Structure formats: structure tokens, C-alpha cells
């Protein structure tokens, strides 16, 4: 497949927007994956190439938010995210991607209800609802394993699910949850990317130029998270959920 200027002009701006959205509330794959499919890449190649650009972009967000990371919690979560994404990627190479789309429909209803009900994403009640550290560790490991597996299998919405689960179940504040989400999402991206690379599914000629735009989007978006916190995270999550729902139902 040949790379043209017209193709780059279509894909790269969409990947930039995906990086911006993903750095704030996750779900950038809802924009970037269709962009690669629009470019004419086969589904598995599109997923693999999307992993390349999103991995580099997420690295920037993780670096910018590193001071807010709960390091002990993130460290164990990363291990389980790597395991989950490697497993999910192997399953993805064998399965029909539409399977996960149908599974997501009931999940979206629950997630949307939670975000609408928790206007501050649990921020105001965090101290009263704080969990014992051992329980936070166990929940973070399970969340990272499960969502990492989904990320390896398909991917779009991974950051959104991690953020909501970290704030809702482990009771992390939004900024810490955002920072931990970026590290865990980066790990799941890396685990998945390695599997797809080993199977020769990554289209580097398009993935690398797109990655530069993804990096720029993540850099700008991660700065907005630090400055605006919950005020910007919550509305972006709602938009991402609506897009994901529409994409699953109608496409």
C-alpha cells in the first residue's frame, strides 16, 4: 500500500484529535481506529497500527502526569495490564472483532449512569470512602488485567474504562486516577503492540507519521487535565460514551 499526501491529510488530523481526547478521558481509539480503517487498512492491521501511534502518544501523557502517579499501585497494575493485553491480542488474532462490540452495549449503559450520577466522579466523598490499601491493590490488579485484556483484543474506550473504575472502585481522586490510567494504558498498549509486531501486523509507513500527531495531541490534552481536573474530564467522558454507543449500534 502506498502512502500519499492526501492519505496523511485525512489520517493525521484525526489521530491528533484522538490523542487530545485520549489524554483527557480515554477513548481516543474511537477516533483513531476508524481513521486507519478509512485509510484502507485491514481490521487487524488497523488495530495494530493504531497501537503504535497510541503507545507513543500515551507515553507523553504518562510523562507529563508522572508526579501525580500512585507509584506502588501503578507498578503492580502495570504487570497485570501487560499480561491482560498480551492475552487479549492473541485472542484478537483469532476472533471476530464484532464480538466485543456486542459485549460492550450493556457496559455502556452502566458506565453512562455512573458518570451522570457522580457529577464530581467521587471527588468530594473520596476521603470518607477511602479503601484499605490492600483492597485498593487487589482491585487495581483485577481492573488492569480485565481492561488490559480488552485493550489487547480491540481497544477503543480503554482509558475511559480505566479512569471510571479507578475513581469508582479504588476511590482514587481524578488526577491520581488519570495519572495511573495513563501508565496502565501505556503498559497494555505496549503488551498488545509487541504481539502484533511479532505477527507482522503493524503498517509503519502510516503509523509513524500519525504517531507524531498523536504525541502532540497527548501533550496538549494532558496539560488540560492538570489545569481543569474533573471539570474537563467528566464532559469528555460523556462525549466519548455517546460516540462509542453510536459506533457500536450503527456501524
Amino acid at each position: 500500500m502506498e502512502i500519499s499526501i492526501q492519505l496523511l491529510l485525512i489520517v493525521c488530523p484525526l489521530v491528533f484529535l484522538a490523542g487530545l481526547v485520549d489524554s483527557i478521558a480515554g477513548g481516543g481509539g474511537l477516533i483513531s481506529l476508524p481513521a486507519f480503517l478509512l485509510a484502507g487498512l485491514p481490521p487487524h492491521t488497523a488495530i495494530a497500527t493504531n497501537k503504535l501511534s497510541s503507545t507513543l502518544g500515551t507515553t507523553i501523557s504518562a510523562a507529563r502526569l508522572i508526579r501525580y502517579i500512585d507509584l506502588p499501585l501503578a507498578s503492580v497494575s502495570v504487570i497485570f495490564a501487560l499480561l491482560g493485553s498480551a492475552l487479549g491480542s492473541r485472542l484478537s488474532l483469532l476472533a471476530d472483532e464484532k464480538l466485543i462490540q456486542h459485549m460492550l452495549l450493556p457496559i455502556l449503559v452502566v458506565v453512562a449512569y455512573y458518570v451522570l450520577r457522580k457529577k464530581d466522579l467521587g471527588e468530594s466523598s473520596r476521603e470518607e470512602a477511602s479503601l484499605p490499601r490492600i483492597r485498593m491493590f487487589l482491585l487495581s490488579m483485577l481492573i488492569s488485567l480485565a481492561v488490559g485484556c480488552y485493550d489487547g483484543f480491540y481497544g477503543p474506550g480503554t482509558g475511559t474504562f480505566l479512569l471510571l473504575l479507578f475513581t469508582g472502585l479504588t476511590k482514587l481522586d481524578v488526577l491520581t486516577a488519570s495519572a495511573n490510567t495513563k501508565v496502565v494504558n501505556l503498559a497494555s498498549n505496549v503488551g498488545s503492540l509487541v504481539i502484533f509486531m511479532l505477527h507482522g501486523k503493524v503498517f509503519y509507513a502510516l503509523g509513524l507519521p500519525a504517531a507524531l500527531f498523536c504525541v502532540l495531541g497527548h501533550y496538549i490534552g494532558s496539560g488540560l487535565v492538570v489545569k481543569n481536573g474533573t471539570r474537563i474530564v467528566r464532559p469528555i467522558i460523556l462525549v466519548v460514551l455517546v460516540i462509542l454507543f453510536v459506533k457500536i449500534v450503527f456501524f
Side-chain angles (χ1 to χ4, degrees):
M1 180 177 179
E2 295 184 359
I3 298 298
S4 65
I5 295 297
Q6 291 83 356
L7 189 62
L8 291 174
L9 289 175
I10 292 172
V11 173
C12 289
L14 290 174
V15 174
F16 165 78
L17 179 60
L20 184 70
V21 170
D22 198 60
S23 64
I24 296 171
L30 301 172
I31 301 170
S32 58
L33 183 55
F36 288 115
L37 291 170
L38 182 64
L41 273 62
H44 283 130
T45 302
I47 293 172
T49 307
N50 183 51
K51 290 297 178 190
L52 175 63
S53 62
S54 63
T55 295
L56 295 177
T58 305
T59 300
I60 298 302
S61 287
R64 293 204 72 185
L65 296 173
I66 194 168
R67 74 184 76 173
Y68 305 105
I69 292 172
D70 185 325
L71 188 57
L73 206 59
S75 298
V76 295
S77 299
V78 160
I79 296 172
F80 282 81
L82 284 168
L83 293 173
S85 64
L87 174 61
S89 297
R90 290 184 179 277
L91 292 174
S92 177
L93 292 169
L94 301 173
D96 184 345
E97 66 182 25
K98 291 185 178 179
L99 173 64
I100 196 67
Q101 293 178 318
H102 296 304
M103 292 170 56
L104 274 176
L105 283 173
I107 297 175
L108 286 177
V109 175
V110 175
V111 172
Y113 171 77
Y114 175 83
V115 177
L116 289 169
R117 185 167 178 262
K118 298 285 186 178
K119 294 185 177 181
D120 58 358
L121 293 179
E123 189 76 3
S124 61
S125 59
R126 179 174 175 265
E127 292 185 3
E128 294 83 350
S130 62
L131 299 176
R133 285 292 283 181
I134 185 64
R135 189 173 178 185
M136 292 178 70
F137 272 85
L138 290 174
L139 286 171
S140 293
M141 289 186 290
L142 289 173
I143 290 168
S144 300
L145 179 66
V147 180
C149 186
Y150 163 71
D151 191 27
F153 190 92
Y154 189 57
T158 295
T160 305
F161 297 142
L162 284 172
L163 181 60
L164 291 176
L165 290 170
F166 283 154
T167 55
L169 296 183
T170 63
K171 307 303 180 183
L172 293 173
D173 64 88
V174 172
L175 195 53
T176 304
S178 294
N180 277 28
T181 289
K182 295 301 176 290
V183 175
V184 174
N185 201 1
L186 176 60
S188 66
N189 279 337
V190 169
S192 178
L193 178 61
V194 169
I195 298 299
F196 283 122
M197 288 174 68
L198 291 175
H199 285 80
K201 297 295 184 180
V202 180
F203 185 39
Y204 296 97
L206 181 58
L208 289 174
L212 297 177
F213 285 82
C214 188
V215 166
L216 181 59
H218 271 271
Y219 182 83
I220 295 173
S222 56
L224 294 175
V225 171
V226 174
K227 292 179 181 179
N228 296 287
T230 307
R231 288 179 297 173
I232 193 169
V233 169
R234 182 172 177 270
I236 291 294
I237 288 179
L238 290 173
V239 171
V240 167
L241 291 174
V242 170
I243 295 173
L244 183 53
F245 181 82
V246 171
K247 182 177 184 295
I248 292 172
V249 173
F250 296 104
F251 297 94

